[in-house]
Each structure stands twice: as structure tokens, then as C-alpha cells.
Amino acid sequence: MAFWEPRSAALTIRRILKVNHAGEFGAIRIYNAQLALARHLYPDIVPALTEMRDDEIEHCRLFVEAMPARGARPCRVMAFWSLGGYVLGFVTALLGRNMIWVCTEAVEATVHRHLEDQIAFLRDRDRPLHDLIGSIQAQELAHLQHAVDHQPRQGLLRAATLPLIGLVTESLIWLSTWGDTGSMRREIAR
Ligand SMILES: [Fe+2]
Ligand SMILES: [Fe+2]
């Protein structure tokens, strides 16, 4: 394919699967780190965190399952997601239970924007994947809502960290598509 030709839909679909699978893996790592600390520091939120982590494990499995038929393969920089997710989860859990929910809110809000683009792109191109992402999106929105509803304090720390965590999430998405999120976005918008 010459570089000036538009990307094929199949390539964009492979990239969508790759980045979504990596994102779910990162989310599992965030929750695992937060659970490791919450078991000692905030045992009351362990059931909610466990439920969300289990949702992410299921999402990850579903994306792996959707890959072979579309010729997609997992991201080559999974180590970034693994380490980035764990560090983000660990640091936010250290900063308190409120910050755990700030982290969930920031990550889910960023993910939601990407899922919206993907769903619009897939509507007439890959209906089964469109429906799969639609059902996953509904669960991610429930995570987002839970996080918003469980922040009694919405002070300065939240105002400072919410955009920062969103930026970290965007950077990981950018990295795992080798900076291709921009062109993917344009292709999705076409
Ligand atoms: Fe998920
Ligand atoms: Fe989620």
C-alpha cells in the first residue's frame, strides 16, 4: 500500500482490537495494584474493586477471542501497559480511597471517548465487533458512574490529578499504536 492511500478498514479494525486489548490489560493491572493495597487499607471497597477487575478480565478475554478472525495480534508494548497500569494503581491507592475513584473516573472517561469513535466507525463495517464494544462500553460507563458516585471529596487534588491521569492514559494509547491514534481518529471520522 502506498503511503498516500487511505488506510484500509481492516487495518483500522486490527488497531482497534490491539489497543482495546492492551487497555483492558492495563485496567486489570491498575485494579490488581489497588486491590493489593485496599485489602490492607480500605477493605470495604475490595468487593467493588474485585467486581470491576473481573469485568476487565472478561473484556480482555473477549477482545483476544475477536482477534484471530480479523488477523489482529496483541500490542508489542504490553510491558508499558503492565508497568504503567500497576504504577498508576499503586500510587493512586497510596494517596487514599478517594484517589482510587479519581483514577477510575479519569481512565474510564478517556476510554469512553475512544470507544465512542470506534463504535461510530464499526457500525457499517463490522457489526459483531460494534455490538461487542457497545456491550463493553455499557459496563465501562457503570464503572465510571460508580467512581463518580463514591468521591465524597472533590478538592484540589482531584482537580490536579484528573487531567494528569487522563493524559497518562492517552499517552499509553498513543504509544501502543506507535503514535497512530491521530490517523486512526481521522480514519474513524471519515
Ligand atoms: Fe474494560
Ligand atoms: Fe472499566
Side-chain angles (χ1 to χ4, degrees):
M1 182 179 78
F3 75 90
W4 61 84
E5 287 175 359
R7 293 181 188 285
S8 72
L11 179 63
T12 303
I13 288 169
R14 285 200 290 276
R15 286 178 191 220
I16 286 173
L17 275 173
K18 180 181 283 198
V19 74
N20 287 13
H21 167 256
E24 299 294 354
F25 183 72
I28 294 168
R29 296 283 291 163
I30 291 174
Y31 285 121
N32 277 344
Q34 291 176 336
L35 273 165
L37 285 180
R39 282 192 190 101
H40 303 286
L41 302 175
Y42 334 106
D44 56 302
I45 64 167
V46 166
L49 286 176
T50 304
E51 198 179 308
M52 290 184 198
R53 194 267 320 265
D54 292 349
D55 284 345
E56 311 301 2
I57 290 173
E58 177 63 5
H59 300 164
C60 198
R61 188 190 69 75
L62 289 167
F63 283 129
V64 168
E65 206 175 82
M67 280 181 161
R70 295 166 178 87
R73 262 176 282 160
C75 176
R76 280 169 290 182
V77 288
M78 291 301 278
F80 280 120
W81 288 90
S82 178
L83 184 68
Y86 204 85
V87 169
L88 184 60
F90 197 83
V91 170
T92 50
L94 270 183
L95 290 171
R97 120 192 22 220
N98 208 59
M99 199 48 60
I100 287 180
W101 300 127
V102 171
C103 174
T104 304
E105 182 185 349
V107 172
E108 295 288 8
T110 307
V111 165
H112 181 64
R113 284 195 294 278
H114 284 276
L115 296 185
E116 282 286 282
D117 288 344
Q118 294 172 1
I119 285 170
F121 177 78
L122 293 167
R123 188 164 294 123
D124 299 321
R125 294 175 171 95
D126 188 332
R127 205 65 191 186
L129 187 58
H130 166 277
D131 295 347
L132 172 66
I133 294 180
S135 69
I136 286 175
Q137 186 191 36
Q139 286 188 317
E140 306 297 13
L141 281 174
H143 297 172
L144 174 61
Q145 196 55 52
H146 182 98
V148 170
D149 292 343
H150 287 77
Q151 293 174 51
R153 286 175 288 114
Q154 303 217 331
L156 263 181
L157 190 59
R158 176 181 183 275
T161 47
L162 202 64
L164 189 68
I165 297 170
L167 194 69
V168 169
T169 310
E170 280 290 358
S171 306
L172 280 170
I173 291 171
W174 189 88
L175 265 176
S176 70
T177 57
W178 297 108
D180 248 346
T181 31
S183 51
M184 193 161 80
R185 218 189 165 94
R186 282 191 293 280
E187 170 70 21
I188 283 168
R190 218 194 309 269

